[in-house]
Amino acid sequence: MNKKKYKLLVVDDHPIVAEGIVALASRQENVVCQSADCLEELKQAASNERFDLCIIDLELPGSNGFKVVEYLHRQMPECRILIYTMHEEPWTVAQLSDVDIDGAVSKNDSIGELDTAIRQIREGERYFSHAFAELKQDDPKHDIHKVPVLSKREKEVLTYLSQGLSTAQIAQMLFLSVNTVQTYRKRLLEKLEAKNVAELVCKGKTLF
């Protein structure tokens, strides 16, 4: 039986860069790649496919990588996110610390760094190159005393769960599909290390 294909989307408006990433990632086992050069192209791709990983440049025509991240959290929460950018400034790192991402690699790093990042994220880990190493501090896996970092949407779902709403009711409130809300619930259970919704709600009270 063939293994399930790992679907990767590269969002970068420089064709040479995008083609290079696609070529690099395609050498890994069972990876299939697509590319998009802006948020609108990503939306078109996402209307036909569900992706496992999205590699995003922070500078895009008519938009920026942060809007792409926001869109993915809202419409495809199961998709993991890797930022690939030339910007290493402190304010960029500060902005990235406020969003829920799975990794960040500088374009000034070796191409092998990006390859390693993709492999580790495929294995369920997070990966940050040296320029973004301090972002690891937001990963509860690295420090049991750290408070789990929740995205805005995860906080909304947790709030509604705390109010006793069902998955279907939450989906209706947030204009999302039931499957999308179920994905958020799963991620919340994992992040807060809860066995069920009751324990999730109990642990969630300490985050607000």
Side-chain angles (χ1 to χ4, degrees), residues 84-163:
Y84 189 50
T85 179
M86 63 180 292
H87 294 286
E88 304 175 7
E89 303 89 352
W91 52 86
T92 299
V93 176
Q95 280 185 289
L96 288 174
S97 68
D98 291 331
V99 296
D100 187 12
I101 58 176
D102 299 285
V105 173
S106 170
K107 288 185 177 180
N108 294 316
D109 291 321
S110 69
I111 195 67
E113 193 96 37
L114 180 60
D115 185 60
T116 299
I118 296 170
R119 291 181 186 279
Q120 290 204 193
I121 291 174
R122 286 187 69 185
E123 293 173 0
E125 301 296 325
R126 301 173 83 209
Y127 188 90
F128 296 90
S129 65
H130 180 73
F132 306 102
E134 66 183 78
L135 294 176
K136 291 180 181 178
Q137 297 174 2
D138 290 332
D139 188 351
K141 294 179 182 177
H142 287 81
D143 187 343
I144 61 174
H145 300 294
K146 292 290 181 181
V147 177
V149 178
L150 304 183
S151 67
K152 178 182 177 182
R153 187 66 83 186
E154 287 169 342
K155 289 178 180 178
E156 290 175 335
V157 171
L158 181 55
T159 297
Y160 285 130
L161 287 172
S162 300
Q163 295 173 1

Coordinates of all heavy atoms in Angstrom, one line a residue, residues 84-163:
Y84 N 9.8 31.3 6.0 CA 11.1 31.4 5.3 C 11.3 32.8 4.8 O 10.7 33.2 3.9 CB 11.1 30.4 4.2 CG 12.5 30.1 3.5 CD1 13.6 29.9 4.3 CD2 12.7 30.2 2.2 CE1 14.9 29.6 3.7 CE2 13.9 30.0 1.6 CZ 15.0 29.7 2.4 OH 16.2 29.5 1.8
T85 N 12.2 33.5 5.5 CA 12.3 35.0 5.3 C 13.7 35.5 5.4 O 14.6 34.9 6.0 CB 11.4 35.7 6.3 OG1 11.6 37.2 6.1 CG2 11.8 35.4 7.7
M86 N 14.0 36.6 4.7 CA 15.3 37.2 4.8 C 15.4 38.2 6.0 O 16.4 38.7 6.4 CB 15.6 38.0 3.5 CG 14.7 39.2 3.3 SD 15.1 40.1 1.7 CE 16.6 40.8 2.2
H87 N 14.2 38.4 6.6 CA 14.2 39.4 7.7 C 14.5 38.7 9.1 O 13.8 37.8 9.5 CB 12.8 40.0 7.8 CG 12.5 40.9 6.6 ND1 13.1 42.1 6.4 CD2 11.7 40.7 5.5 CE1 12.7 42.7 5.3 NE2 11.8 41.8 4.7
E88 N 15.5 39.2 9.7 CA 16.0 38.7 11.0 C 15.9 39.8 12.1 O 16.4 39.6 13.2 CB 17.4 38.2 10.9 CG 17.6 37.1 9.8 CD 19.0 36.7 9.7 OE1 19.9 37.1 10.6 OE2 19.4 35.9 8.8
E89 N 15.3 40.9 11.8 CA 15.3 42.0 12.7 C 14.6 41.7 14.0 O 13.6 40.9 14.0 CB 14.7 43.3 12.1 CG 15.3 43.7 10.8 CD 14.7 43.1 9.6 OE1 13.9 42.2 9.7 OE2 15.1 43.5 8.4
P90 N 14.9 42.3 15.1 CA 14.3 42.0 16.4 C 12.7 42.2 16.3 O 12.0 41.5 16.9 CB 14.9 43.0 17.4 CG 16.3 43.3 16.8 CD 16.1 43.2 15.3
W91 N 12.3 43.3 15.6 CA 10.9 43.5 15.5 C 10.1 42.4 14.7 O 9.0 42.1 15.0 CB 10.6 44.9 14.9 CG 11.2 45.2 13.6 CD1 10.8 44.9 12.3 CD2 12.5 45.8 13.4 NE1 11.7 45.3 11.4 CE2 12.7 45.9 12.0 CE3 13.4 46.4 14.3 CZ2 13.9 46.5 11.5 CZ3 14.6 47.0 13.7 CH2 14.8 47.0 12.4
T92 N 10.9 41.8 13.8 CA 10.3 40.6 13.0 C 10.1 39.5 14.0 O 9.1 38.8 14.0 CB 11.1 40.3 11.8 OG1 11.2 41.4 10.9 CG2 10.5 39.1 11.1
V93 N 11.2 39.2 14.7 CA 11.1 38.1 15.7 C 10.0 38.3 16.7 O 9.2 37.4 17.1 CB 12.5 37.9 16.4 CG1 12.4 36.9 17.5 CG2 13.6 37.6 15.5
A94 N 9.8 39.6 17.1 CA 8.8 39.9 18.1 C 7.4 39.7 17.5 O 6.5 39.2 18.2 CB 8.9 41.4 18.5
Q95 N 7.2 40.0 16.2 CA 5.9 39.8 15.6 C 5.7 38.3 15.4 O 4.5 37.8 15.7 CB 5.9 40.4 14.2 CG 5.6 41.9 14.2 CD 5.5 42.4 12.8 OE1 6.5 42.5 12.0 NE2 4.3 42.7 12.4
L96 N 6.7 37.5 15.1 CA 6.5 36.1 14.9 C 6.2 35.4 16.3 O 5.5 34.4 16.3 CB 7.8 35.5 14.3 CG 8.0 35.8 12.9 CD1 9.4 35.2 12.4 CD2 7.0 35.2 12.0
S97 N 6.7 36.0 17.4 CA 6.4 35.4 18.7 C 4.9 35.5 19.0 O 4.4 34.8 19.9 CB 7.2 36.1 19.8 OG 6.8 37.4 20.0
D98 N 4.2 36.4 18.3 CA 2.7 36.6 18.6 C 1.8 35.7 17.7 O 0.6 35.8 17.9 CB 2.4 38.1 18.4 CG 3.0 39.0 19.4 OD1 3.2 38.5 20.6 OD2 3.2 40.1 19.1
V99 N 2.4 34.9 16.8 CA 1.6 34.1 15.9 C 2.0 32.6 16.2 O 3.1 32.3 16.6 CB 1.8 34.4 14.5 CG1 1.3 35.8 14.2 CG2 3.2 34.3 14.0
D100 N 1.1 31.8 15.9 CA 1.3 30.3 16.1 C 1.8 29.7 14.9 O 1.1 29.4 13.9 CB -0.1 29.7 16.5 CG 0.1 28.2 16.9 OD1 1.2 27.8 17.2 OD2 -1.0 27.5 17.0
I101 N 3.2 29.5 14.9 CA 3.8 28.9 13.8 C 4.7 27.7 14.2 O 4.9 27.5 15.4 CB 4.8 29.8 13.0 CG1 5.8 30.4 14.0 CG2 4.0 30.9 12.4 CD1 6.8 31.3 13.3
D102 N 5.1 26.8 13.3 CA 5.8 25.6 13.6 C 7.3 25.7 13.4 O 8.0 24.8 13.7 CB 5.2 24.4 12.9 CG 3.7 24.2 13.2 OD1 3.5 23.7 14.3 OD2 2.9 24.6 12.4
G103 N 7.7 26.8 12.8 CA 9.1 27.0 12.5 C 9.4 28.2 11.8 O 8.5 28.9 11.2
A104 N 10.7 28.6 11.8 CA 11.2 29.8 11.0 C 12.6 29.6 10.6 O 13.4 29.2 11.5 CB 11.0 31.1 11.8
V105 N 12.9 29.8 9.4 CA 14.3 29.7 8.9 C 14.6 31.0 8.1 O 13.8 31.5 7.3 CB 14.4 28.5 7.9 CG1 15.8 28.4 7.3 CG2 14.2 27.2 8.7
S106 N 15.9 31.5 8.3 CA 16.3 32.6 7.6 C 16.8 32.2 6.2 O 17.4 31.2 6.0 CB 17.5 33.3 8.3 OG 18.1 34.3 7.6
K107 N 16.6 33.1 5.2 CA 17.0 32.9 3.8 C 18.6 33.1 3.8 O 19.2 32.7 2.7 CB 16.3 33.8 2.8 CG 14.9 33.4 2.6 CD 14.2 34.3 1.5 CE 12.8 33.8 1.2 NZ 12.1 34.6 0.2
N108 N 19.1 33.6 4.8 CA 20.6 33.7 4.9 C 21.3 32.4 5.4 O 22.5 32.3 5.3 CB 21.0 34.9 5.8 CG 20.6 36.2 5.3 OD1 20.7 36.5 4.1 ND2 20.0 37.0 6.2
D109 N 20.4 31.5 5.8 CA 21.0 30.2 6.3 C 21.3 29.3 5.1 O 20.8 29.6 4.0 CB 20.0 29.5 7.2 CG 19.8 30.2 8.5 OD1 20.8 30.6 9.1 OD2 18.7 30.2 9.0
S110 N 22.0 28.2 5.3 CA 22.3 27.3 4.2 C 21.0 26.6 3.8 O 20.0 26.5 4.6 CB 23.3 26.2 4.7 OG 22.7 25.3 5.7
I111 N 20.9 26.1 2.6 CA 19.7 25.4 2.1 C 19.5 24.1 2.9 O 18.3 23.7 3.0 CB 19.9 25.0 0.6 CG1 18.5 24.7 0.0 CG2 20.9 24.0 0.4 CD1 17.5 25.8 0.0
G112 N 20.5 23.6 3.5 CA 20.4 22.4 4.3 C 19.5 22.6 5.6 O 18.9 21.7 6.1
E113 N 19.6 23.9 6.0 CA 18.8 24.3 7.2 C 17.3 24.2 6.9 O 16.5 23.7 7.7 CB 19.1 25.7 7.6 CG 18.6 26.1 9.0 CD 19.6 25.9 10.1 OE1 20.8 26.2 9.8 OE2 19.2 25.6 11.2
L114 N 16.9 24.6 5.7 CA 15.5 24.5 5.3 C 15.1 23.1 5.2 O 14.0 22.7 5.6 CB 15.3 25.3 4.0 CG 13.9 25.3 3.4 CD1 12.9 25.9 4.4 CD2 13.8 26.0 2.1
D115 N 16.0 22.2 4.6 CA 15.7 20.8 4.4 C 15.4 20.1 5.8 O 14.5 19.4 6.0 CB 16.8 20.1 3.7 CG 16.6 18.7 3.4 OD1 15.6 18.4 2.7 OD2 17.3 17.8 3.8
T116 N 16.3 20.5 6.7 CA 16.2 19.9 8.1 C 14.9 20.4 8.7 O 14.2 19.6 9.4 CB 17.3 20.4 9.0 OG1 18.6 19.9 8.4 CG2 17.2 19.8 10.4
A117 N 14.5 21.6 8.5 CA 13.3 22.2 9.1 C 12.0 21.4 8.6 O 11.2 21.0 9.3 CB 13.1 23.7 8.8
I118 N 12.0 21.2 7.3 CA 10.9 20.4 6.7 C 10.8 19.0 7.2 O 9.7 18.6 7.6 CB 11.0 20.4 5.1 CG1 11.0 21.8 4.5 CG2 10.0 19.5 4.5 CD1 11.3 21.9 3.1
R119 N 11.9 18.4 7.4 CA 12.0 17.0 7.9 C 11.5 16.9 9.3 O 10.7 16.1 9.7 CB 13.4 16.4 7.8 CG 13.8 16.2 6.4 CD 15.2 15.6 6.3 NE 15.7 15.5 4.9 CZ 15.4 14.5 4.1 NH1 14.6 13.5 4.5 NH2 15.9 14.5 2.8
Q120 N 11.9 17.9 10.1 CA 11.5 17.8 11.6 C 10.1 18.2 11.7 O 9.4 17.6 12.6 CB 12.4 18.8 12.4 CG 13.8 18.3 12.5 CD 14.5 18.8 13.7 OE1 15.8 18.7 13.9 NE2 13.8 19.4 14.7
I121 N 9.6 19.1 11.0 CA 8.1 19.5 11.1 C 7.3 18.3 10.6 O 6.2 18.0 11.2 CB 7.8 20.7 10.3 CG1 8.5 21.9 11.0 CG2 6.3 21.0 10.1 CD1 8.4 23.2 10.2
R122 N 7.7 17.6 9.6 CA 7.0 16.4 9.1 C 6.9 15.3 10.2 O 6.0 14.6 10.3 CB 7.7 15.7 7.9 CG 7.6 16.5 6.6 CD 8.2 15.7 5.5 NE 7.4 14.5 5.2 CZ 7.7 13.5 4.3 NH1 8.8 13.7 3.6 NH2 6.9 12.5 4.1
E123 N 7.9 15.3 11.1 CA 8.0 14.3 12.2 C 7.2 14.8 13.4 O 7.2 14.2 14.5 CB 9.4 14.0 12.6 CG 10.2 13.3 11.5 CD 11.6 13.1 11.7 OE1 12.1 13.6 12.8 OE2 12.4 12.6 10.9
G124 N 6.5 16.0 13.3 CA 5.7 16.5 14.4 C 6.4 17.4 15.3 O 5.9 17.9 16.3
E125 N 7.7 17.8 15.0 CA 8.4 18.7 15.8 C 8.3 20.1 15.3 O 7.7 20.4 14.3 CB 9.9 18.3 15.8 CG 10.2 16.9 16.4 CD 9.8 16.7 17.8 OE1 10.0 17.7 18.6 OE2 9.3 15.7 18.2
R126 N 8.9 21.1 16.0 CA 9.0 22.5 15.6 C 10.5 22.7 15.3 O 11.4 22.0 15.8 CB 8.5 23.4 16.6 CG 7.1 23.2 17.0 CD 6.7 24.1 18.2 NE 6.3 25.4 17.7 CZ 6.4 26.5 18.5 NH1 7.0 26.4 19.7 NH2 6.1 27.7 18.1
Y127 N 10.8 23.7 14.4 CA 12.2 24.0 14.1 C 12.4 25.5 13.8 O 11.7 26.1 13.0 CB 12.6 23.2 12.8 CG 14.1 23.3 12.5 CD1 15.0 22.4 13.0 CD2 14.6 24.3 11.8 CE1 16.3 22.4 12.8 CE2 16.0 24.4 11.5 CZ 16.8 23.5 12.0 OH 18.2 23.6 11.8
F128 N 13.4 26.0 14.5 CA 13.8 27.4 14.4 C 15.3 27.5 14.2 O 16.0 27.0 15.0 CB 13.3 28.2 15.6 CG 11.8 28.3 15.8 CD1 11.2 27.3 16.6 CD2 11.1 29.2 15.2 CE1 9.8 27.3 16.7 CE2 9.7 29.3 15.3 CZ 9.1 28.3 16.1
S129 N 15.7 28.2 13.1 CA 17.1 28.3 12.8 C 17.7 29.4 13.8 O 16.9 30.0 14.6 CB 17.4 28.8 11.4 OG 16.9 30.1 11.1
H130 N 19.0 29.5 13.8 CA 19.7 30.3 14.8 C 19.1 31.7 15.0 O 18.9 32.2 16.1 CB 21.2 30.4 14.5 CG 21.9 31.3 15.5 ND1 22.2 30.8 16.8 CD2 22.4 32.5 15.4 CE1 22.9 31.8 17.4 NE2 23.0 32.8 16.6
A131 N 18.7 32.4 13.9 CA 18.2 33.7 13.9 C 16.9 33.8 14.6 O 16.6 34.9 15.2 CB 18.0 34.2 12.5
F132 N 16.2 32.7 14.7 CA 14.9 32.8 15.4 C 14.8 31.8 16.6 O 13.7 31.4 17.1 CB 13.8 32.3 14.4 CG 13.8 33.2 13.1 CD1 14.3 32.7 12.0 CD2 13.3 34.4 13.1 CE1 14.4 33.4 10.8 CE2 13.3 35.2 12.0 CZ 13.9 34.7 10.8
A133 N 16.0 31.5 17.1 CA 16.1 30.5 18.2 C 15.2 30.9 19.4 O 14.7 30.0 20.1 CB 17.5 30.3 18.6
E134 N 15.1 32.2 19.7 CA 14.4 32.6 20.9 C 12.9 32.2 20.8 O 12.2 32.2 21.9 CB 14.6 34.1 21.2 CG 14.0 35.0 20.2 CD 14.3 36.5 20.5 OE1 15.4 36.9 20.3 OE2 13.4 37.1 21.1
L135 N 12.4 32.0 19.6 CA 11.0 31.6 19.5 C 10.7 30.3 20.1 O 9.6 29.9 20.4 CB 10.6 31.7 18.0 CG 10.6 33.0 17.3 CD1 10.3 32.9 15.9 CD2 9.6 34.0 18.0
K136 N 11.8 29.5 20.3 CA 11.6 28.1 20.9 C 11.1 28.3 22.3 O 10.5 27.4 22.8 CB 12.9 27.4 21.0 CG 13.5 26.9 19.6 CD 14.8 26.2 19.8 CE 15.4 25.8 18.5 NZ 16.7 25.1 18.7
Q137 N 11.3 29.4 22.9 CA 10.8 29.7 24.3 C 9.3 29.5 24.4 O 8.7 29.3 25.5 CB 11.3 31.0 24.8 CG 12.8 31.2 24.8 CD 13.2 32.5 25.2 OE1 12.4 33.4 25.4 NE2 14.5 32.8 25.3
D138 N 8.6 29.7 23.3 CA 7.1 29.6 23.3 C 6.6 28.2 23.1 O 5.4 28.0 23.0 CB 6.5 30.5 22.2 CG 6.7 32.0 22.5 OD1 6.7 32.3 23.7 OD2 6.7 32.8 21.5
D139 N 7.6 27.2 22.9 CA 7.2 25.9 22.7 C 7.1 25.1 24.0 O 8.1 24.9 24.7 CB 8.2 25.2 21.8 CG 7.8 23.8 21.4 OD1 6.8 23.3 21.9 OD2 8.4 23.2 20.5
P140 N 5.9 24.7 24.5 CA 5.7 24.0 25.7 C 6.5 22.7 25.8 O 6.8 22.2 26.9 CB 4.2 23.8 25.8 CG 3.7 23.9 24.4 CD 4.6 24.9 23.8
K141 N 6.9 22.1 24.6 CA 7.7 20.9 24.7 C 9.1 21.1 25.2 O 9.7 20.2 25.7 CB 7.8 20.3 23.2 CG 6.4 19.9 22.6 CD 6.7 19.4 21.2 CE 5.3 19.0 20.6 NZ 5.6 18.6 19.2
H142 N 9.6 22.4 25.1 CA 10.9 22.6 25.5 C 11.0 23.0 27.0 O 12.1 23.0 27.6 CB 11.5 23.8 24.7 CG 11.9 23.3 23.3 ND1 10.9 23.2 22.3 CD2 13.0 22.9 22.7 CE1 11.5 22.8 21.2 NE2 12.8 22.6 21.4
D143 N 9.9 23.4 27.6 CA 9.9 23.8 29.0 C 8.6 23.6 29.6 O 7.6 24.2 29.3 CB 10.3 25.3 29.1 CG 10.5 25.8 30.5 OD1 10.1 25.1 31.5 OD2 11.1 26.8 30.7
I144 N 8.5 22.7 30.6 CA 7.2 22.3 31.1 C 6.6 23.4 31.9 O 5.4 23.4 32.3 CB 7.3 21.0 32.0 CG1 8.3 21.3 33.2 CG2 7.8 19.8 31.2 CD1 8.3 20.2 34.2
H145 N 7.4 24.5 32.2 CA 6.8 25.6 33.0 C 6.3 26.7 32.1 O 5.7 27.7 32.6 CB 7.9 26.2 33.9 CG 8.5 25.1 34.9 ND1 7.7 24.6 35.9 CD2 9.7 24.6 35.0 CE1 8.5 23.7 36.6 NE2 9.7 23.7 36.0
K146 N 6.4 26.6 30.8 CA 5.9 27.6 29.9 C 4.4 27.4 29.7 O 3.9 26.3 29.7 CB 6.6 27.4 28.5 CG 8.1 27.8 28.5 CD 8.2 29.3 28.7 CE 9.7 29.7 28.7 NZ 9.9 31.1 28.9
V147 N 3.7 28.5 29.6 CA 2.3 28.5 29.3 C 2.1 28.2 27.9 O 2.7 28.9 27.0 CB 1.6 29.8 29.7 CG1 0.1 29.8 29.4 CG2 1.8 30.1 31.2
P148 N 1.2 27.3 27.5 CA 1.0 27.0 26.1 C 0.5 28.2 25.3 O -0.3 29.0 25.8 CB -0.2 25.9 26.1 CG 0.0 25.3 27.5 CD 0.4 26.4 28.4
V149 N 1.0 28.4 24.1 CA 0.6 29.5 23.3 C -0.5 29.1 22.4 O -0.4 28.2 21.6 CB 1.8 30.0 22.5 CG1 1.4 31.2 21.6 CG2 3.0 30.4 23.4
L150 N -1.7 29.8 22.6 CA -2.8 29.5 21.8 C -3.1 30.6 20.7 O -2.9 31.8 21.0 CB -4.1 29.4 22.6 CG -4.0 28.4 23.8 CD1 -5.4 28.3 24.5 CD2 -3.7 27.0 23.3
S151 N -3.5 30.2 19.5 CA -3.9 31.2 18.5 C -5.2 31.9 18.9 O -5.9 31.4 19.8 CB -4.0 30.5 17.2 OG -5.1 29.7 17.2
K152 N -5.5 33.0 18.3 CA -6.8 33.7 18.5 C -8.0 32.7 18.3 O -8.9 32.7 19.2 CB -6.9 34.9 17.6 CG -8.2 35.6 17.8 CD -8.3 36.8 16.8 CE -9.6 37.5 17.0 NZ -9.8 38.7 16.0
R153 N -8.0 31.9 17.3 CA -9.1 31.0 17.0 C -9.2 29.9 18.0 O -10.3 29.5 18.5 CB -9.0 30.5 15.6 CG -10.2 29.7 15.2 CD -11.4 30.5 15.0 NE -11.4 31.2 13.7 CZ -12.4 32.1 13.4 NH1 -13.3 32.4 14.3 NH2 -12.3 32.7 12.2
E154 N -8.0 29.4 18.5 CA -8.0 28.4 19.5 C -8.6 28.9 20.8 O -9.4 28.2 21.5 CB -6.6 27.9 19.7 CG -6.1 27.0 18.6 CD -4.6 26.7 18.7 OE1 -3.9 27.4 19.5 OE2 -4.1 25.8 18.1
K155 N -8.3 30.2 21.1 CA -8.9 30.8 22.3 C -10.4 30.9 22.2 O -11.1 30.7 23.2 CB -8.2 32.1 22.6 CG -6.8 32.1 23.0 CD -6.2 33.5 23.2 CE -4.8 33.4 23.6 NZ -4.2 34.8 23.8
E156 N -10.9 31.3 21.0 CA -12.3 31.4 20.8 C -13.0 30.1 21.0 O -14.1 30.0 21.7 CB -12.6 32.0 19.4 CG -12.2 33.4 19.2 CD -12.4 33.9 17.8 OE1 -12.3 33.0 16.9 OE2 -12.5 35.1 17.6
V157 N -12.5 29.0 20.4 CA -13.0 27.7 20.5 C -13.0 27.2 22.0 O -14.0 26.7 22.5 CB -12.3 26.7 19.7 CG1 -12.8 25.2 20.0 CG2 -12.5 27.0 18.2
L158 N -11.9 27.5 22.7 CA -11.8 27.1 24.1 C -12.9 27.9 24.9 O -13.5 27.3 25.8 CB -10.4 27.4 24.6 CG -10.1 27.0 26.1 CD1 -10.5 25.6 26.4 CD2 -8.7 27.3 26.4
T159 N -13.1 29.1 24.6 CA -14.1 29.9 25.4 C -15.5 29.4 25.2 O -16.2 29.2 26.2 CB -14.0 31.4 24.9 OG1 -12.8 32.0 25.2 CG2 -15.1 32.2 25.6
Y160 N -15.8 29.0 24.0 CA -17.1 28.4 23.7 C -17.3 27.1 24.3 O -18.4 26.7 24.8 CB -17.4 28.4 22.2 CG -17.7 29.7 21.6 CD1 -17.1 30.2 20.4 CD2 -18.7 30.6 22.2 CE1 -17.4 31.4 19.9 CE2 -19.0 31.8 21.6 CZ -18.3 32.2 20.5 OH -18.6 33.4 19.9
L161 N -16.2 26.3 24.3 CA -16.3 25.0 25.0 C -16.5 25.2 26.5 O -17.3 24.4 27.1 CB -15.0 24.2 24.8 CG -14.7 23.6 23.4 CD1 -13.3 23.1 23.3 CD2 -15.7 22.5 23.1
S162 N -15.9 26.2 27.1 CA -16.1 26.5 28.5 C -17.5 26.9 28.8 O -18.0 26.7 29.9 CB -15.1 27.6 28.9 OG -13.8 27.3 28.7
Q163 N -18.2 27.4 27.8 CA -19.6 27.8 28.0 C -20.6 26.6 27.7 O -21.8 26.8 27.8 CB -19.9 29.0 27.0 CG -19.1 30.2 27.3 CD -19.3 31.3 26.3 OE1 -20.1 31.1 25.3 NE2 -18.7 32.4 26.5

